[in-house]
């Protein structure tokens, strides 16, 4: 079963590097400070390519941020939601 999961998620998967510039929806990339497979630098590189995106790095967390930081995770999402519902907000291309 694990072998099938690895094949379906990782092996042979098409690269997604061309997609971030196409994302116009507000986006929050959350990564754990201890996550070696998706670092803050990688998250920031991806968000820099998007119209309206930000990165949050959660300290003392790695791969399962919602489980490792169950209070902080919804707070971060709430901040994004507040940003999106601010009067006058619009998702515009980065300059």
């Amino acid at each position: 079963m694990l072998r099938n999961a690895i094949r379906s998620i990782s092996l042979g998967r098409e690269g997604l590097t061309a997609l971030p510039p196409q994302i116009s929806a507000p986006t929050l990339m959350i990564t754990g400070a201890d996550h070696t497979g998706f670092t803050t630098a990688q998250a920031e590189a991806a968000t820099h390519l998007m119209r309206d995106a930000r990165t949050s790095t959660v300290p003392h967390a790695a791969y399962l941020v919602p489980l490792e930081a169950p209070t902080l995770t919804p707070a971060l999402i709430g901040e994004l939601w507040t940003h999106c519902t601010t009067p006058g907000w619009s998702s515009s291309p980065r300059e």
Side-chain angles (χ1 to χ4, degrees):
M1 182 181 287
L2 181 59
R3 179 178 55 197
N4 291 338
I6 291 170
R7 282 188 179 147
S8 66
I9 293 172
S10 301
L11 302 177
R13 181 174 68 176
E14 293 182 25
L16 301 176
T17 56
L19 294 179
Q22 299 175 35
I23 298 172
S24 61
T27 304
L28 174 62
M29 292 275 209
I30 301 174
T31 189
D34 300 331
H35 194 317
T36 59
F38 187 62
T39 65
T40 299
Q42 290 170 311
E44 288 174 348
T47 58
H48 183 70
L49 298 172
M50 297 179 208
R51 289 179 174 211
D52 184 12
R54 56 193 39 84
T55 301
S56 289
T57 302
V58 177
H60 312 293
Y63 307 97
L64 300 171
V65 174
L67 298 177
E68 296 169 290
T71 304
L72 183 56
T73 302
L76 293 171
I77 295 168
E79 289 174 12
L80 177 69
W81 184 253
T82 298
H83 165 74
C84 295
T85 57
T86 301
W89 172 86
S90 68
S91 182
S92 58
R94 290 181 185 260
E95 297 179 12

